[in-house]
Amino acid sequence: FLCQSISGIVAVIFVLKKVHEVVGGEKCPLFSGVLLKKMLIIAIPSAIQQSFISVGNILVQRVINGFGTACMGGYTAAIKLNNMFVTSVTALGKNERVRHGCRSGVAIGMTMGAIFAVVFYVFAKPLVYAFISDGNLEAVDVGVDFLHIVTPFYVFLSIKLMVDGVQRGAAR
């Protein structure tokens, strides 16, 4: 919490200083109702979507917990690798032209999805083992099984993530 607070304060100070440089040294308003409305049009649907995803993750974790500690450990290790892929693909597609950007993002995302899928599928055991600190082999097996089930769909997930980003940006 402390690190996030300090980072947030430093970020706000940095942005306020940079805004004056971008505007050309003119005094810019600290608050704009028009900009707030534009941000809320994008932020509210995104926040609602993320809330549903978080609640879904909690429900899935509750079910996983019922299968015991080995399953919990394996799932946790595999989901960390899965999140690494999702984060990598989500950072793509920041191009200026929407149509071209979407196509480029999808192509790059599909390529990354295929690469991650092959690497995570082939090297599932050592990758999951890297996240299991107590050496619980049953947990490693659960994580490997999870990756073997999920990774073939990374290509399709990358398409979904790109299209979601374009749709969110369309509200602008």
Side-chain angles (χ1 to χ4, degrees):
F1 176 76
L2 181 63
C3 291
Q4 290 173 334
S5 299
I6 292 170
S7 296
I9 292 167
V10 170
V12 168
I13 292 169
F14 179 79
V15 167
L16 289 174
K17 286 185 177 183
K18 288 294 179 184
V19 164
H20 293 293
E21 291 176 21
V22 172
V23 176
E26 298 175 17
K27 180 124 173 120
C28 61
L30 200 56
F31 177 80
S32 168
V34 174
L35 286 178
L36 177 63
K37 182 180 176 187
K38 286 181 180 180
M39 286 187 278
L40 289 176
I41 287 172
I42 295 172
I44 290 174
S46 182
I48 292 170
Q49 178 187 16
Q50 290 305 314
S51 296
F52 279 111
I53 290 170
S54 294
V55 168
N57 287 340
I58 290 168
L59 295 175
V60 168
Q61 187 64 54
R62 185 165 190 253
V63 171
I64 296 293
N65 292 351
F67 291 107
T69 57
C71 191
M72 287 169 37
Y75 175 78
T76 301
I79 210 71
K80 287 179 182 179
L81 291 165
N82 191 55
N83 288 343
M84 185 186 326
F85 165 72
V86 172
T87 304
S88 300
V89 172
T90 305
L92 298 173
K94 304 283 188 204
N95 298 349
E96 291 177 35
R97 292 189 166 87
V98 174
R99 218 177 269 259
H100 175 70
C102 184
R103 284 188 193 133
S104 298
V106 166
I108 294 168
M110 288 175 64
T111 303
M112 285 183 62
I115 292 168
F116 272 91
V118 168
V119 170
F120 283 5
Y121 196 93
V122 172
F123 299 105
K125 194 164 195 152
L127 288 169
V128 170
Y129 196 77
F131 288 94
I132 305 284
S133 60
D134 64 358
N136 183 340
L137 295 179
E138 189 179 359
V140 172
D141 289 340
V142 169
V144 169
D145 288 345
F146 176 88
L147 287 176
H148 283 169
I149 292 167
V150 172
T151 55
F153 298 98
Y154 278 179
V155 172
F156 302 108
L157 178 61
S158 64
I159 295 169
K160 180 214 177 290
L161 292 170
M162 289 302 113
V163 173
D164 283 354
V166 169
Q167 288 177 334
R168 262 190 240 108
R172 292 183 187 172

